[in-house]
Amino acid sequence: MGAATRNLSGKRREQLLRAARKAMKHAHAPYSHFRVGAALLTAKGELYTGCNVENASYGLTNCAERTAIFSAVAKSGPGLTIRAIAVVNDQGVPCSPCGACRQVIYEFGPDATVLFQSSKGWKESHITELLPEGFRLQ
């Protein structure tokens, strides 16, 4: 496990999961009825949340992870560094971040820990395990 995982306490994990569950309740999911929430912890200790927001033009739908990240950037600026991000859903099924979300997480957190429900229960992965060839242009 990466340094970010080793430094994330059980209390912090629970805080992230609670915040993600709360954010999930705000999801706009009239088409899939699949509500997702995300909570991220920045390197500065700030917490931001997001939920999925669906659109009748499905390609315009935004995932919870990206909503949380974009909200954090909108509030704090482009210097955001993600330490950890948690993802939950209302169906209790495995739900790791999609490919687009993995790349956006990597952009702002190349050493981030990602918490999500897998087929074997809750899992913590380093973002490079989920996106081995992530890239940044900086």
Side-chain angles (χ1 to χ4, degrees):
M1 290 195 244
T5 302
R6 286 192 302 272
N7 295 329
L8 197 61
S9 70
K11 183 177 177 182
R12 272 292 196 205
R13 278 190 290 278
E14 281 308 311
Q15 178 187 29
L16 281 172
L17 291 170
R18 269 194 312 277
R21 287 182 189 107
K22 185 175 179 183
M24 176 185 68
K25 294 177 182 175
H26 296 280
H28 176 71
Y31 309 106
S32 72
H33 305 288
F34 187 71
R35 296 174 175 272
V36 181
L40 70 87
L41 176 66
T42 71
K44 295 178 181 176
E46 300 165 313
L47 187 67
Y48 293 93
T49 61
C51 60
N52 59 319
V53 180
E54 294 180 352
N55 190 278
S57 176
Y58 297 138
L60 301 179
T61 293
N62 203 53
C63 299
E65 299 92 312
R66 284 181 283 144
T67 300
I69 294 166
F70 298 161
S71 294
V73 172
K75 177 135 176 51
S76 298
L80 170 70
T81 300
I82 299 170
R83 180 173 171 209
I85 187 164
V87 184
V88 301
N89 68 79
D90 67 347
Q91 306 291 315
V93 298
C95 186
S96 68
C98 73
C101 288
R102 291 174 188 206
Q103 177 59 41
V104 175
I105 292 166
Y106 187 88
E107 174 86 11
F108 293 100
D111 195 35
T113 299
V114 183
L115 295 91
F116 60 94
Q117 190 167 350
S118 74
S119 60
K120 297 178 181 174
W122 288 101
K123 183 171 184 174
E124 292 183 23
S125 293
H126 191 274
I127 188 60
T128 58
E129 292 175 66
L130 299 175
L131 187 71
E133 300 297 327
F135 66 94
R136 299 170 75 186
L137 297 179
Q138 27 187 339

